[in-house]
Amino acid sequence: MTSSAVIWGVIGFLLTVMILSYLIRDSLFFRLATYLLIGLTAGYLVVLLVNRVLLPQLIWPMGAASWSQRLWLLIPILLAGLLLVGQIPRLALLSKIPLAYLAGLSAAVAIGGAVFGTLVPQGQAVLDTFDPYRIYADPQLVWMRILDAGVMILGVVGTLSYFHFGQPLQETKRKRAEDRPQILQVFSKIGEGFLGITLGAVFAGVFSTALLALIDRIAVIGGMLGQFLGGL
Amino acid sequence: MKKILFGAITLMVGLVVLAGFFFQDPFGPALTLIYQWGLVLVAVGGLIGLGTLAAFHIRNIIQQKKGWISSAVLLAAFLFSLIAGFVLTPQNAFYRDLILNVQVPVETSLLAILAATLLYASLQLIRTRGWTPLSIAFMASAVFSMLFNLGLIQTASGTLGEQVLMFFRRLPLVGARGVLIGMALGGLVMGLRFLLSTDHPGGER
Amino acid sequence: MAYLICPECGAHNPLEEEQCRICQASLVGVEAVDEPPSPEEPLEDQNPFEAEEHDLSDLLQGLKLDDDFEIDPQGLPEIHLDDGAGEGEQDRTPEWLDAVRKRAQEEEDSVGDLIRRVESAQESVASEGKGQHNDFESWLQKLRDEARDKAAGSAPKPEPPGEPPGEPPAGLPGEPSAETPETPEPVEPVSEPEPEPAADEPGDSDWLTRIRKAHGIIDPEDGPNAASRSLLDWLVALEDNPPEEEEEGGLSDETQQIATGFEKLPMDITRQIRVALEPKLTPQALTLSREEREQADLLSTLIADEKVARPIAQRSYRVGVQWINLLFLLILVAGIGLALFSGGTASLAQPQPSAGGTALVNWVAGLPADASLLLVFDYQPAYASEMAQVAAPILTGLAERGVEIEVASSAASGPLLADALLAGIGDGLAYTDRGYYPMASYGAYGLATGLATGETAPGLPEPTLGLLAGDYDGLLILSDSFEGAQTWIEQLSARSPETPLGILATSQAAPLLQPYFDSGQVVGGVSGYSDAVALAGERGNSAEVLPRWRAYQVGGLILVAALLLGAVFTPAPRTSPRKRGGR
């Protein structure tokens, strides 16, 4: 093992112990380690944004561009300038121009993605479960495919119904919710069950990921202790 | 007048981008331009945010507020990382080791703490939520998903048992599909509200 | 009286409530608690507002403590709710309260306006009330004489010895009356004479105090402030627009007693009192809108929080849950440690690969040798360990086929992680860096746009690093979260659906990504650790992953045990009040 690997290993070991000390109690070591992480990451992010975004997108093309091309590049520079100047409280209004630009871009990207990337394909997938070619593709499993299709439509409609009623109801609104069509209330209850199943699977997944992180840290600590004890 | 101007900018940019989803070729160059400008603005916004973070901690140190020692550690790390990054460049091996060998242990350890927290939550799931359809379905699904993940529930290939097992494994997918469609509907509505300036990210109306 | 104490905000709720009236938190399972005054510190002392007059609006309660308010030279009320607090304690006013006071002084909004109104009312009550007492001195003397004359024929009726001083006499009904003080009906004159006041009692000159004492309403132990408090009780009783709580829930007991006592007075005396009082009281009445009243309530609550200890809920359990938690954590850590370092080749079971994982392996195997593939790094360093194992089978396959690799990142640490991960595959996987995209949605949109149009705007400068315009044979998204992967899937499905897309995701992202596998938007994906272990097993690399897989199984089983045992042995929660906020 090289000396640099040993040094980084010891640093990683110490930082791990400092963070895991939180399991006993919130201590100064835990806070120091987290602040160290935030500081280093923030500095790195500045370097990254400048080196990987602003320089290649804005500065370097400016040097190589013709005069007409430079006029085009002035627009993002102007917008960025407005964003910076807008940090002065008296001139905050100016920053709303680039923010309006970003809002329009983000909203449109989100709408396009949601509609064409999720709503249409997933809706189509629900309908596809009722495709006769799919249902009768394997004669041995027709009943299973029909059951699958029924559960799919019931679960999706139920989950959407549950979203509708899932908000915490104020006392005054409760009566209004009860006045809604009973069929929707029934679907909402069914959806609650399906949502619970999905969230349970997500919970197991999140725990798995966190568990693997714990395993990794125990492996690092154990490995480091083993090296120290073996070297004594 | 000002609101109309901001609303018009939002709507104009949004409509061009949305039109690009339908007419890709004619709008391609304009979309490229809009996207590049957006990327620059996001980067500048990020720099402003990081500058605000640094300024906040500098104030903490100058005024010697509670926790100013932690702020000093943060600021020292920030300056060191910043200067080293510009001097050595992010491609430098030492700089990469420096960042990764702090980020990986600290972030992984924070995630490991989550494992302990989730274990505590598992112990208290029914106590806090009670025996409701949601909690029962949640617990049963979590138990079976974990057993599936551990490889403890398996059947022979091509048997009826495999089909039944597949059916149960697909049950979380049903709710997930409902969640995805619900999220997409919510995203659509929120996006339209932003575009039509009935709502703003800053909460202003 | 029993309450349900909200476990979230500590608010008191009636027994029948299922949700907190303040924060809407669930009260299911919360045990009712009685609110007995502690032996050494009666509850009335801790929070005089809650103790006996909780039905009144907080503003009016605040007004009642007029002697506790002083007009500060800066024009702000200095509020002393705790008579026992020393000067030093008063100086340690929290910053938030200073901010509220400052705002009230400087700003013209409704809260500031309200405080100024309160302040002026304080001054008005202090000055006019005192003036009234002096002006009415002779009139009160006249009333006393009249009362003596009427009672001259009957002997004084002593108070029953066993009756506590605070209890109303038998003639006063305990239940709230439906009649309001504004419409008193003529009643029989009070037959019992007013007892002679003790000469040393400071409130003797106050006719209201005397009336209340005559009916057992006021505690003779009350201090010198009792007179002014009772005056304000009259204000409450005579309020033209009583608060909503009073309309719905009835008047408080004390107000009822005052009202009933008022009705029991001889009609002519009542009329005289009304005639004498009403013109004087008119300028002091506060007309508050609903919004102002709510703000006043909030402000009053905040002020009350400053020094008054209030009981709030603290969950505790019959069995030491903390110890059980610690026990499970120790078992988890010890089990993982044993599984990792014990050696051996045994494990509980070997997982089977998912359909998505198998499909992705097959897709990689079918790529042409000169294929070009873009890897998108969208995960944080915390997940580096899991992602390395999830990606290893696929990246090894790519290295074996000699596929050309390009890398883009939508996570800040992506470039560093890409370097570390790809360097560990075989002898190191060569790649071309295509840049960092600070927002995943913009990066995905830019890539999809570049793929769709294949060109940048004519006449515009070419970015050195930026647009992901390329003719890729496929994309692999390495993501730690559902949202990150979803962004890429959505944009690429929307704008470039013909480009094959594979996903390498952590266990936590996998369940919500399943619909995208199922709908065919994604050609395949390794979803989580068990899938990675299964694929590693198919490649014959089981031995490398075995220690961690065994540790994972142990940890997973402990979670299952915790879920089941937690459900079976659910300890019943109990709540016990703890004090917070006192100094």
Side-chain angles (χ1 to χ4, degrees), chain B residues 11-204:
Chain B
L11 189 62
M12 193 175 65
V13 174
L15 285 180
V16 172
V17 174
L18 275 180
F21 281 97
F22 297 96
F23 313 105
Q24 297 203 6
D25 287 338
F27 281 91
L31 293 179
T32 306
L33 204 61
I34 289 173
Y35 153 74
Q36 281 181 303
W37 294 352
L39 214 55
V40 168
L41 286 180
V42 168
V44 172
L47 290 179
I48 290 172
L50 293 167
T52 308
L53 175 78
F56 172 80
H57 287 284
I58 288 171
R59 264 201 308 276
N60 269 5
I61 294 167
I62 291 172
Q63 297 170 4
Q64 301 232 328
K65 285 188 178 174
K66 188 182 175 189
W68 69 273
I69 295 176
S70 302
S71 293
V73 170
L74 185 146
L75 207 63
F78 174 76
L79 290 175
F80 181 71
S81 171
L82 187 74
I83 294 166
F86 280 122
V87 172
L88 300 174
T89 76
Q91 286 80 23
N92 180 277
F94 170 76
Y95 188 68
R96 289 181 172 220
D97 283 346
L98 170 72
I99 301 297
L100 270 190
N101 281 296
V102 172
Q103 282 187 338
V104 170
V106 174
E107 289 194 20
T108 310
S109 303
L110 288 170
L111 192 59
I113 290 175
L114 180 66
T117 310
L118 292 177
L119 189 70
Y120 301 160
S122 307
L123 281 164
Q124 294 162 22
L125 170 68
I126 297 298
R127 191 194 61 73
T128 51
R129 306 301 302 180
W131 290 98
T132 65
L134 188 67
S135 64
I136 293 168
F138 182 95
M139 192 185 75
S141 174
V143 167
F144 280 103
S145 296
M146 205 67 223
L147 293 178
F148 282 133
N149 287 346
L150 298 178
L152 296 178
I153 302 179
Q154 295 181 9
T155 56
S157 179
T159 61
L160 181 65
E162 186 192 24
Q163 292 300 319
V164 174
L165 193 62
M166 285 295 294
F167 174 77
F168 280 109
R169 290 205 76 167
R170 275 171 62 83
L171 281 181
L173 182 147
V174 177
R177 182 158 279 155
V179 170
L180 287 183
I181 293 175
M183 284 170 63
L185 287 171
L188 175 64
V189 172
M190 283 308 294
L192 286 175
R193 286 172 69 94
F194 283 167
L195 275 190
L196 300 175
S197 298
T198 53
D199 216 340
H200 286 275
E204 180 191 330

Side-chain angles (χ1 to χ4, degrees), chain A residues 109-123, chain B residues 21 180 184, chain C residues 486-495 516 519 521:
Chain A
V109 167
I111 289 172
V115 173
F116 298 108
T118 294
L119 213 49
V120 172
Q122 293 303 319
Chain B
F21 281 97
L180 287 183
Chain C
Q486 185 200 27
T487 303
W488 286 92
I489 295 170
E490 280 187 340
Q491 295 301 323
L492 290 164
S493 297
R495 306 222 62 201
Y516 292 113
S519 66
Q521 291 171 269

Side-chain angles (χ1 to χ4, degrees), chain C residues 122-143:
Chain C
Q122 296 286 340
E123 288 173 340
S124 176
V125 168
S127 59
E128 292 190 24
K130 189 176 177 183
Q132 275 175 12
H133 291 189
N134 293 337
D135 295 342
F136 294 160
E137 196 65 41
S138 59
W139 177 76
L140 285 169
Q141 189 59 46
K142 186 183 167 190
L143 284 180

Side-chain angles (χ1 to χ4, degrees), chain C residues 75-390:
Chain C
L76 287 171
E78 191 68 34
I79 301 159
H80 307 297
L81 293 175
D82 185 0
D83 288 336
E87 285 298 315
E89 288 181 330
Q90 290 173 12
D91 292 339
R92 290 201 302 270
T93 310
E95 288 179 13
W96 61 265
L97 187 58
D98 286 333
V100 169
R101 287 172 175 163
K102 192 175 177 186
R103 181 179 167 193
Q105 186 184 19
E106 293 175 358
E107 296 188 12
E108 289 299 322
D109 64 1
S110 56
V111 178
D113 184 47
L114 187 65
I115 289 183
R116 280 189 287 277
R117 284 194 202 192
V118 171
E119 193 181 317
S120 63
Q122 296 286 340
E123 288 173 340
S124 176
V125 168
S127 59
E128 292 190 24
K130 189 176 177 183
Q132 275 175 12
H133 291 189
N134 293 337
D135 295 342
F136 294 160
E137 196 65 41
S138 59
W139 177 76
L140 285 169
Q141 189 59 46
K142 186 183 167 190
L143 284 180
R144 280 191 203 127
D145 293 341
E146 284 178 9
R148 279 200 198 94
D149 291 343
K150 286 188 179 179
S154 60
K157 187 177 175 183
E159 199 172 340
E163 197 168 358
E167 288 290 319
L172 293 179
E175 291 297 315
S177 168
E179 298 159 1
T180 60
E182 285 80 12
T183 57
E185 289 179 4
V187 291
E188 289 295 317
V190 182
S191 59
E192 53 203 75
E194 199 173 346
E196 271 304 309
D200 56 346
E201 247 184 290
D204 279 350
S205 60
D206 190 329
W207 53 273
L208 276 172
T209 308
R210 296 182 63 238
I211 291 170
R212 296 181 77 196
K213 280 183 182 174
H215 294 280
I217 297 167
I218 194 166
D219 187 345
E221 300 288 324
D222 273 359
N225 297 339
S228 54
R229 280 212 297 276
S230 58
L231 173 63
L232 281 154
D233 283 337
W234 278 101
L235 271 172
V236 174
L238 295 172
E239 176 94 15
D240 287 334
N241 299 306
E244 286 184 11
E245 290 79 11
E246 294 184 3
E247 287 171 9
E248 291 170 8
L251 298 169
S252 70
D253 290 344
E254 187 175 341
T255 312
Q256 278 298 329
Q257 289 164 4
I258 294 166
T260 312
F262 187 85
E263 288 162 17
K264 283 188 176 296
L265 286 173
M267 191 60 191
D268 53 344
I269 298 179
T270 310
R271 194 178 301 115
Q272 284 182 55
I273 291 171
R274 282 188 175 283
V275 170
L277 277 180
E278 279 181 357
K280 303 272 183 188
L281 289 174
T282 305
Q284 298 172 10
L286 287 175
T287 307
L288 300 178
S289 69
R290 182 185 178 82
E291 186 185 0
E292 286 173 329
R293 198 158 55 224
E294 287 171 356
Q295 287 172 337
D297 286 347
L298 177 64
L299 193 63
S300 171
T301 309
L302 288 172
I303 292 169
D305 262 336
E306 183 186 9
K307 289 175 181 171
V308 180
R310 310 176 74 189
I312 69 163
Q314 182 190 33
R315 285 183 182 222
S316 58
Y317 308 100
R318 291 193 182 91
V319 185
V321 168
Q322 289 86 353
W323 289 107
I324 294 176
N325 287 344
L326 193 62
L327 178 68
F328 266 81
L329 180 63
L330 287 176
I331 292 172
L332 180 69
V333 172
I336 289 172
L338 280 175
L340 275 176
F341 302 113
S342 63
T345 56
S347 70
L348 289 175
Q350 185 69 16
Q352 292 174 330
S354 68
T358 307
L360 190 63
V361 170
N362 293 336
W363 175 71
V364 168
L367 283 172
D370 59 346
S372 166
L373 208 63
L374 181 72
L375 303 188
V376 178
F377 280 74
D378 185 61
Y379 65 91
Q380 302 298 325
Y383 306 92
S385 159
E386 185 181 3
M387 285 305 301
Q389 296 175 71
V390 166

